[in-house]
Amino acid sequence: MPAGLTAAETRQMQPNVNRAECPSRLVLEHVTSRWGVLVLAALLERSYRFSELRRQIGGVSEKMLAQTLQALERDGFVRRDAKPVIPPRVDYSLTPMGHEVAEQVWTLTRWVEGRLDDVFEAREAYDGARAS
Amino acid sequence: MPAGLTAAETRQMQPNVNRAECPSRLVLEHVTSRWGVLVLAALLERSYRFSELRRQIGGVSEKMLAQTLQALERDGFVRRDAKPVIPPRVDYSLTPMGHEVAEQVWTLTRWVEGRLDDVFEAREAYDGARAS
DNA sequence: CAGCATCCAAGCGGATACTG
DNA sequence: CAGTATCCGCTTGGATGCTG
């Protein structure tokens, strides 16, 4: 953030700078994004080829998968292995650092899944209180 | 997901059902969302009033803060204490379950922050290779 | 103060078509 | 096969104005 400017002023000059205000948030968004979580989870088991991964995850468009993989590769979480053969073959796998985040995100995911019942219960209580 | 329909058919009937395909993803998005992370992190230290929290976080609109807090309250992560006084006073704090997620998310955030250097290094390598 | 309702711009994400 | 490029609808999210 440039010196001599308030956060509000900076934000006005450059909309959506909030995302960039905290660099770690961008990285966090990559790994916790809709498809990022699923990609990391899949790669935690083994390496995948592009469309293999696409089928495995299910419901993800080419565009989003490519975008997600590029972000994760650029951040150093995913390794891209392009074999110069015809037809092209590209393998995606986790880097050591990627393996670390993947496990953390996976742990968090598992925790959430394990607490789903409690969450649903809380929701019913919340919605019930509102209905009256 | 209704029986007798493929994922594709369901998706066509109800766009963006991907989000709902996996209930835990919705919960995960609440706690890892742009503002969710910051709210949980703040409440990890102590309870806050609405605009106090707004100032503390900085850069969040009323709308988004209210939305974030409601989602977290409905999921059972945040407790809302509205005192029937004039002017209104509302305190937000973490529930025991909220405290658990907050710590996990906070751990993940800290991990990311600690690895930021590695990420930036990876990015430079990635961008450098592309520039050629 | 704490929030809801409305409006509107920006960008996320899907479908499609095309390339190496 | 593994993408890139383009178009476009819908949601996200900010600004503003109003209520209890």
Side-chain angles (χ1 to χ4, degrees), chain B residues 41-52:
Chain B
L43 292 182
L44 206 48
E45 297 183 37
R46 64 176 181 89
S47 73
Y48 278 91
R49 298 180 58 184
F50 188 83
S51 28
E52 201 182 16

Side-chain angles (χ1 to χ4, degrees), chain B residues 47-117:
Chain B
S47 73
Y48 278 91
R49 298 180 58 184
F50 188 83
S51 28
E52 201 182 16
L53 194 53
R54 191 154 129 69
R55 279 189 300 274
Q56 169 71 18
I57 291 180
V60 60
S61 65
E62 279 182 14
K63 181 185 169 183
M64 289 316 298
L65 183 56
Q67 213 171 87
T68 303
L69 283 170
Q70 277 171 23
L72 293 176
E73 185 197 356
R74 195 171 100 98
D75 287 352
F77 297 130
V78 163
R79 178 171 29 243
R80 181 177 181 276
D81 249 14
K83 268 98 174 175
V85 297
I86 304 289
R89 176 190 178 92
V90 182
D91 284 311
Y92 291 94
S93 56
L94 292 176
T95 64
M97 183 165 73
H99 196 270
E100 285 186 50
V101 242
E103 291 211 317
Q104 294 211 38
V105 170
W106 183 236
T107 300
L108 180 57
T109 305
R110 294 289 296 274
W111 184 92
V112 168
E113 278 170 1
R115 289 301 207 121
L116 266 190
D117 288 348

Side-chain angles (χ1 to χ4, degrees), chain A residues 16 34-35 59 61-64 67 88 130:
Chain A
N16 252 350
R34 167 119 63 92
W35 306 117
S61 65
E62 281 181 11
K63 180 188 171 183
M64 289 316 296
Q67 212 171 89
R130 291 241 143 178

Side-chain angles (χ1 to χ4, degrees), chain A residues 15-113:
Chain A
N16 252 350
V17 71
N18 282 325
R19 290 200 126 79
E21 263 171 19
C22 182
S24 59
R25 270 217 59 75
L26 276 172
V27 181
L28 203 60
E29 275 175 16
H30 293 160
V31 302
T32 63
S33 69
R34 167 119 63 92
W35 306 117
V37 179
L38 300 176
V39 166
L40 291 176
L43 292 182
L44 206 49
E45 298 183 37
R46 63 176 181 90
S47 73
Y48 278 91
R49 299 180 58 183
F50 187 84
S51 28
E52 202 183 15
L53 193 54
R54 192 153 128 69
R55 278 189 300 274
Q56 170 69 18
I57 290 180
V60 60
S61 65
E62 281 181 11
K63 180 188 171 183
M64 289 316 296
L65 182 57
Q67 212 171 89
T68 302
L69 284 169
Q70 277 171 24
L72 292 176
E73 185 198 356
R74 196 171 99 98
D75 287 350
F77 297 131
V78 162
R79 178 170 31 241
R80 182 177 180 276
D81 248 15
K83 268 97 175 177
V85 297
I86 305 288
R89 176 190 179 91
V90 182
D91 285 309
Y92 290 95
S93 57
L94 292 177
T95 64
M97 183 166 73
H99 197 271
E100 285 186 51
V101 242
E103 290 210 318
Q104 294 210 40
V105 171
W106 185 236
T107 300
L108 180 57
T109 305
R110 293 289 296 273
W111 184 93
V112 168
E113 279 170 1

